[in-house]
Amino acid sequence: MKLKKAIACISIISLLLGVLGWPSIHSNAVSLYAFCIGGTTTLISHQNEDDILTFESDDLGMTYEKVKSEWSSTTGNYVDYFFIRFSTAGQHKLIEYCNGKQRLERNVTVNPSHSWNEGYVSKTATYLEPGEKKYTCTFCGEQKTEATPKLEKPTVSTCMGDTTVSINCKQTDTVTFTSDDPAMSYIFAGASSITIGSWGVYSPGYSIYFSTPGFHSLTVYINGTATDVMNFNVFLTHSWSEKILTQPTCLYDGKKN
């Protein structure tokens, strides 16, 4: 008897869901009833792939746009992502329709603006690529991503025709360079190999020849993949300083560098 009642209840629930559709949630489930003027993403679950979902509101300036649609293997439903933007803050009605039939009416609160949290670093910046930081609105749950700048490597002072760099890599690796100085050239200048325990570090050196003075960047590639960037302040000529190492005598010349 209890089993029959349970089956009957399940059948009624399934029938109601088939008529009314599945519940709606925000992208991070903060609240079904919280929106912001800047726009809030809402997820709408429904049963059939060809269902047409629409919205109405007493805010006549309200707009919405379907961002994407996907199948959820977890819930066994289709999910549409809608970006809904109200034109005025305050209390509003939001009515959902599925295939022209009303299935849900919500009394929602629209905040004048997003209230972003401190965010977290979702991608760490490097010398080669900018990073990313993600923020979440504490009121409606909307998320945004902002780029963070690439790391700035210290600038090394050098002179034209007198720049040498060393690269740590495998002995079988191919090392190449590019620069914002299009006429920059380089040649192999020898290598050293250091053994530490059971592994070694191969360190080839390269002489870099910049064609113009000024600030230049040098990007290092190992087997075609950018691995490092270097910044140089290139001077036209050397500016030698003098230092007396030994004083001359009547028998020997002195030395300076």
Side-chain angles (χ1 to χ4, degrees):
M1 189 68 177
K2 291 182 178 180
L3 179 61
K4 290 182 178 180
K5 286 183 178 180
I7 294 173
C9 289
I10 293 172
S11 300
I12 292 171
I13 293 172
S14 299
L15 178 62
L16 289 172
L17 288 173
V19 174
L20 298 176
W22 296 85
S24 308
I25 58 173
H26 276 353
S27 57
N28 66 346
V30 170
S31 171
L32 284 172
Y33 307 98
F35 288 79
C36 290
I37 287 289
T40 300
T41 301
T42 297
L43 278 63
I44 311 296
S45 298
H46 56 99
Q47 288 182 300
N48 304 307
E49 185 177 8
D50 57 354
D51 285 339
I52 298 175
L53 304 176
T54 56
F55 301 88
E56 286 184 358
S57 174
D58 58 342
D59 177 357
L60 300 181
M62 181 274 296
T63 61
Y64 61 92
E65 176 186 5
K66 185 164 76 171
V67 179
K68 67 176 181 177
S69 182
E70 63 185 16
W71 167 258
S72 173
S73 58
T74 303
T75 61
N77 303 311
Y78 291 94
V79 179
D80 288 354
Y81 294 71
F82 286 90
F83 186 72
I84 299 177
R85 188 190 298 269
F86 286 89
S87 64
T88 58
Q91 301 297 315
H92 291 292
K93 290 186 180 297
L94 182 65
I95 305 171
E96 296 178 15
Y97 294 87
C98 182
N99 301 322
K101 294 182 180 180
Q102 180 177 334
R103 70 170 189 172
L104 181 63
E105 179 177 320
R106 285 184 266 170
N107 294 314
V108 301
T109 301
V110 181
N111 212 38
S113 62
H114 288 297
S115 178
W116 301 111
N117 64 4
E118 294 181 356
Y120 68 94
V121 176
S122 55
K123 179 183 176 183
T124 303
T126 67
Y127 293 120
L128 297 170
E129 294 183 348
E132 290 181 350
K133 195 170 183 180
K134 286 190 175 181
Y135 301 85
T136 300
C137 176
T138 58
F139 185 79
C140 74
E142 185 67 11
Q143 293 185 330
K144 69 173 182 177
T145 301
E146 292 185 352
T148 58
K150 292 188 291 186
L151 299 180
E152 288 292 332
K153 207 161 192 180
T155 299
V156 177
S157 294
T158 186
C159 294
M160 292 182 61
D162 192 25
T163 304
T164 302
V165 298
S166 296
I167 310 299
N168 291 334
C169 61
K170 296 178 182 177
Q171 194 162 358
T172 55
D173 288 337
T174 300
V175 179
T176 55
F177 303 89
T178 61
S179 174
D180 57 347
D181 176 359
M184 179 274 302
S185 62
Y186 58 92
I187 61 172
F188 178 68
S192 61
S193 183
I194 305 171
T195 301
I196 304 175
S198 59
W199 57 277
V201 175
Y202 180 67
S203 184
Y206 293 85
S207 294
I208 309 296
Y209 299 96
F210 292 102
S211 66
T212 58
F215 290 95
H216 292 296
S217 64
L218 184 73
T219 303
V220 183
Y221 294 83
I222 297 179
N223 301 324
T225 300
T227 60
D228 197 6
V229 63
M230 304 176 186
N231 296 319
F232 294 94
N233 183 13
V234 183
F235 292 91
L236 183 62
T237 59
H238 291 292
S239 178
W240 301 110
S241 61
E242 288 190 2
K243 181 180 180 181
I244 303 300
L245 298 180
T246 57
Q247 294 290 340
T249 67
C250 56
L251 297 177
Y252 301 101
D253 294 331
K255 293 182 179 179
K256 65 181 179 179
N257 65 0

